[in-house]
Amino acid sequence: MQNHDLQGFSPDEFKLSKSGFDPQMPGHDSPHVNEMILRQEPRTARKEGSGISLPYDTRLEMGLMLDEHLCALNVALHQYTKHHWLTEGAESFGSLHHILDEHIDVTQDHIDKVGERVARLGVVPTAHPVTQHEISYIKHEVEGRYTMRDFLRNDLEHEIKIQGMLRKTIKRAHELNDFGTVQVLEEVLLKREDLGYHLWSLLEDDSLVRGMNHLLDNNGDIALNRHLNDKLN
């Protein structure tokens, strides 16, 4: 891969060096490799262009950043789906089950929008689920059943990270005059902010369901939870 002017981006923020086949990367080695006709390696850009009048270096850099968002959105989708399956409790089984349905639908739509933009820039999107998790800047929570507040807080931490990384790419796309990517990501960002607001509101410490704990713990039904990780790095 050619060197790029990262304009302040560190390798820890976007994995721009991960381009082409990597024997250590899941999904990059197959027993069928000699039975298929290879046209383009993963996370590379077409040299001859793709009908979009942007330079090769711009298409490659933007394509790799967008591919990382694509991977992160797939991780978020898998986690939302798990939480949708495991909803329980008086407030969660009904209303939260449907709210997570909306988050799943929106995330699927964003995966398609971002994946389409990656392809239009002439870059090969990452589709192998294990490779997606490896490249993604968010990671799926540990396996197991936890409280609904734990589930929602983990989802909110994902949304905050995704929003921050989207803003970095939008800023970079402006610098490179890639206004098509700007439009796609601004629409995605606005909706991710909505999803984050929904989760934040659900985690507020007011509730219609009090039970009897307020008679015993003297906390006045104030939710005591671990600190929300809102750091981007």
Side-chain angles (χ1 to χ4, degrees):
M1 173 182 166
Q2 296 184 11
N3 292 326
H4 297 277
D5 177 7
L6 302 185
Q7 295 290 323
F9 291 110
S10 73
D12 293 335
E13 290 180 306
F14 288 98
K15 301 177 179 67
L16 300 184
S17 62
K18 291 187 179 296
S19 180
F21 280 119
D22 179 355
Q24 305 303 316
M25 185 71 71
H28 283 211
D29 188 22
S30 168
H32 306 295
V33 67
N34 295 322
E35 301 172 6
M36 299 186 292
I37 300 173
L38 177 66
R39 297 187 52 150
Q40 188 178 349
E41 292 190 9
R43 285 175 57 88
T44 61
R46 296 166 63 99
K47 295 282 188 181
E48 66 274 17
S50 57
I52 293 178
S53 58
L54 289 169
Y56 167 80
D57 283 355
T58 296
R59 290 189 294 104
L60 178 57
E61 184 176 331
M62 285 290 95
L64 293 181
M65 285 188 186
L66 286 165
D67 186 57
E68 199 162 336
H69 294 303
L70 175 67
C71 293
L73 289 167
N74 273 281
V75 172
L77 174 64
H78 295 156
Q79 187 165 290
Y80 274 134
T81 303
K82 172 193 173 183
H83 297 168
H84 172 76
W85 292 332
L86 293 179
T87 50
E88 58 186 358
E91 291 179 314
S92 299
F93 185 71
S95 59
L96 185 55
H97 194 76
H98 292 297
I99 290 172
L100 290 174
D101 249 342
E102 179 192 357
H103 284 226
I104 288 169
D105 290 344
V106 169
T107 303
Q108 288 174 330
D109 179 60
H110 289 172
I111 287 170
D112 188 57
K113 280 184 168 64
V114 174
E116 289 277 7
R117 185 62 185 174
V118 174
R120 287 192 172 114
L121 291 170
V123 175
V124 181
T126 298
H128 192 290
V130 181
T131 314
Q132 287 176 341
H133 193 268
E134 178 72 19
I135 292 175
S136 170
Y137 48 74
I138 61 173
K139 303 301 177 185
H140 199 288
E141 70 184 18
V142 66
E143 291 288 1
R145 184 194 295 271
Y146 303 93
T147 71
M148 294 310 303
R149 292 191 70 88
D150 286 327
F151 284 160
L152 294 181
R153 185 187 53 250
N154 291 342
D155 291 334
L156 178 56
E157 289 176 351
H158 276 181
E159 291 299 341
I160 290 174
K161 177 71 173 183
I162 291 170
Q163 291 169 27
M165 297 296 277
L166 285 171
R167 293 186 190 103
K168 292 175 187 288
T169 304
I170 291 169
K171 180 176 183 294
R172 181 60 171 157
H174 271 292
E175 294 169 352
L176 296 175
N177 295 324
D178 182 3
F179 302 118
T181 293
V182 168
Q183 180 173 342
V184 170
L185 292 190
E186 283 183 341
E187 293 175 2
V188 171
L189 173 60
L190 183 60
K191 192 60 182 178
R192 300 319 297 188
E193 289 178 341
D194 282 346
L195 300 186
Y197 175 73
H198 295 168
L199 294 170
W200 182 275
S201 299
L202 288 168
L203 288 167
E204 286 285 11
D205 58 15
D206 194 9
S207 173
L208 296 176
V209 179
R210 299 184 68 199
M212 300 298 290
N213 284 343
H214 66 288
L215 299 177
L216 304 173
D217 59 19
N218 297 316
N219 285 326
D221 286 348
I222 300 299
L224 302 176
N225 299 291
R226 76 169 191 251
H227 174 66
L228 177 70
N229 179 14
D230 57 358
K231 292 184 172 60
L232 294 180
N233 296 319

